[in-house]
Amino acid sequence: RWFIFLPNILGKNGNPVAENFRMEEVCLPDNINEGQVQVRTLYLSVDPYMRCRMNEDTGTDYITPWQLSQVVDGGGIGIIEESKHTNLTKGDFVTSFYWPWQTKVILDGNNLEKVDPQLVNGHLSYFLGAIGMPGLTSLIGIQEKGHITAGSKKTMVVSGAAGACGSVAGQIGHLLGCSRVVGICGTHEKCILLTSELGFDAAINYKKENVAEQLRESCPAGVDVYFDNVGGNISDTVISQMNENSHIILCGQISQYNKDVPYPPPLSPAIEAIQKERNITRERFLVLNYKDKFEPGILQLSQWFKEGKLKIKETVINGLENMGAAFQSMMTGGNIGKQIVCISEEISL
């Protein structure tokens, strides 16, 4: 079975829905060629950046658009059932950023990366989340753009704080030396989780509370580092309370992804004036520019996880047929932590 992308009525300004996708039954070839492997898909990832792939122009040169009536792809992990690749054998666990949304698939072995289940204590889906690209984005983003040093008593604010990156970023902020971490999210349940389980010092429900007021209360010394997952009005409010020489880590702008605007979206004139006046850095951050830091980053995240210093949250939906629903839910905040779709839990051969 595989999932294909359909245009329906979606445009650059549309909200994605489950009906933008369709599942089909197909037959795989009987034989694989030299260098190829046949894999069974275990877990697939749905992520905010995928909304850009639903446009003819993704707005970036490193993300290609999904093709209409073609198989969708994204982050995935699976187990090799048959191999004609010299470095991969039956039973190996492998991952790819361009994994087709299929239950079984034949892939070029050179495009796959072998993963070690011991790094995640057997929780293979974590390689698509906290000990994968979202975790690396959080860690490297904070290291490269946050300018946090141990004992510097900085205050960090995280928007989209209960999502795949935000839930990890807040914890990393503390681990790297922030004295105070405040999260912004959209439900009371998420707020409780952030403060009771993930170590955030405070959490603000932007749908129910006055964000500006709550920020002043939660960040009496102002904001030094802002890990921005959402953009829009929330980010304007945070930026207006940032200190001189503070730093914005531009991770994502999910509030803007259903609109036809450039990335990163420009600030309003009033907020841009604050940014310049206070010398606040707001540089585009792309984790793919830091591939040399991936291996040590994964090892660090794994170590924190094993030591109990990094708590990992997931929202898991079962079945390839639910990929579209999972994507729609993630885009509207239905997930806590990483949104994962389990395709097959059977890891034995």
Side-chain angles (χ1 to χ4, degrees):
R1 290 179 295 173
W2 64 18
F3 237 65
I4 65 169
F5 174 46
L6 300 169
N8 284 352
I9 56 169
L10 185 72
K12 279 193 172 183
N13 294 305
N15 295 313
V17 293
E19 289 73 30
N20 290 129
F21 305 92
R22 184 177 75 224
M23 192 167 73
E24 294 182 345
E25 299 271 346
V26 294
C27 293
L28 287 180
D30 291 333
N31 300 308
I32 63 174
N33 298 324
E34 286 302 319
Q36 291 184 326
V37 294
Q38 180 176 306
V39 291
R40 176 156 41 85
T41 306
L42 299 176
Y43 299 99
L44 293 172
S45 173
V46 288
D47 303 276
Y49 81 89
M50 290 175 169
R51 175 61 185 84
C52 304
R53 300 192 69 188
M54 299 175 88
N55 300 334
E56 204 171 332
D57 177 6
T58 64
T60 68
D61 53 6
Y62 61 90
I63 297 174
T64 56
W66 286 331
Q67 299 302 305
L68 299 181
S69 301
Q70 299 297 312
V71 181
V72 184
D73 64 356
I77 191 163
I79 185 170
I80 294 179
E81 295 188 319
E82 184 183 349
S83 175
K84 286 190 177 178
H85 189 280
T86 49
N87 298 329
L88 298 170
T89 59
K90 184 177 177 179
D92 284 347
F93 297 105
V94 288
T95 187
S96 169
F97 197 55
Y98 299 101
W99 194 288
W101 288 10
Q102 299 180 204
T103 51
K104 292 191 179 189
V105 61
I106 293 171
L107 296 170
D108 181 346
N110 290 334
N111 297 331
L112 298 172
E113 183 183 346
K114 201 180 331 187
V115 293
D116 179 3
Q118 291 187 342
L119 289 174
V120 291
N121 287 350
H123 297 279
L124 291 166
S125 57
Y126 289 0
F127 283 122
L128 299 178
I131 305 178
M133 201 58 79
L136 286 172
T137 300
S138 302
L139 175 61
I140 298 170
I142 293 169
Q143 288 174 329
E144 295 295 321
K145 303 293 184 182
H147 304 278
I148 298 165
T149 52
S152 58
K153 297 192 174 176
K154 289 189 173 179
T155 296
M156 174 192 271
V157 171
V158 182
S159 58
C165 285
S167 61
V168 174
Q171 297 179 76
I172 291 173
H174 267 318
L175 288 165
L176 294 183
C178 284
S179 60
R180 190 160 184 78
V181 176
V182 176
I184 302 174
C185 56
T187 69
H188 179 66
E189 178 194 8
K190 290 177 180 179
C191 287
I192 297 295
L193 172 91
L194 294 181
T195 53
S196 66
E197 291 189 48
L198 302 186
F200 284 67
D201 299 286
I204 301 167
N205 181 349
Y206 74 89
K207 291 183 180 176
K208 299 284 187 185
E209 299 175 274
N210 182 312
V211 176
E213 217 173 80
Q214 291 298 315
L215 265 181
R216 278 190 290 273
E217 198 175 298
S218 302
C219 309
V223 179
D224 301 299
V225 182
Y226 174 38
F227 194 94
D228 185 6
N229 283 302
V230 301
N233 293 334
I234 290 173
S235 291
D236 290 352
T237 304
V238 176
I239 293 168
S240 67
Q241 296 191 31
M242 293 185 75
N243 296 324
E244 282 198 20
N245 303 314
S246 53
H247 305 284
I248 299 169
I249 303 163
L250 264 179
C251 178
Q253 304 278 281
I254 194 170
S255 74
Q256 308 299 302
Y257 286 169
N258 292 328
K259 303 173 185 175
D260 185 9
V261 294
Y263 186 85
L267 298 172
S268 68
I271 300 300
E272 189 175 9
I274 291 172
Q275 181 205 350
K276 287 179 176 172
E277 188 182 309
R278 298 181 194 169
N279 192 34
I280 301 169
T281 62
R282 182 182 183 258
E283 301 166 348
R284 185 171 181 170
F285 168 69
L286 177 58
V287 71
L288 296 176
N289 290 338
Y290 299 90
K291 288 184 178 176
D292 60 314
K293 299 183 185 297
F294 282 14
E295 190 174 343
I298 291 292
L299 293 175
Q300 177 64 83
L301 293 163
S302 170
Q303 183 183 334
W304 281 334
F305 162 61
K306 289 185 170 188
E307 291 171 352
K309 294 176 181 175
L310 180 66
K311 306 287 195 306
I312 298 177
K313 292 291 167 187
E314 288 183 322
T315 298
V316 181
I317 292 178
N318 291 312
L320 185 73
E321 66 276 9
N322 291 315
M323 289 298 296
F327 182 64
Q328 182 179 358
S329 174
M330 177 273 306
M331 286 297 294
T332 51
N335 57 302
I336 290 179
K338 183 76 182 78
Q339 178 71 67
I340 293 287
V341 180
C342 176
I343 308 302
S344 170
E345 283 186 297
E346 182 55 61
I347 61 171
S348 61
L349 288 171

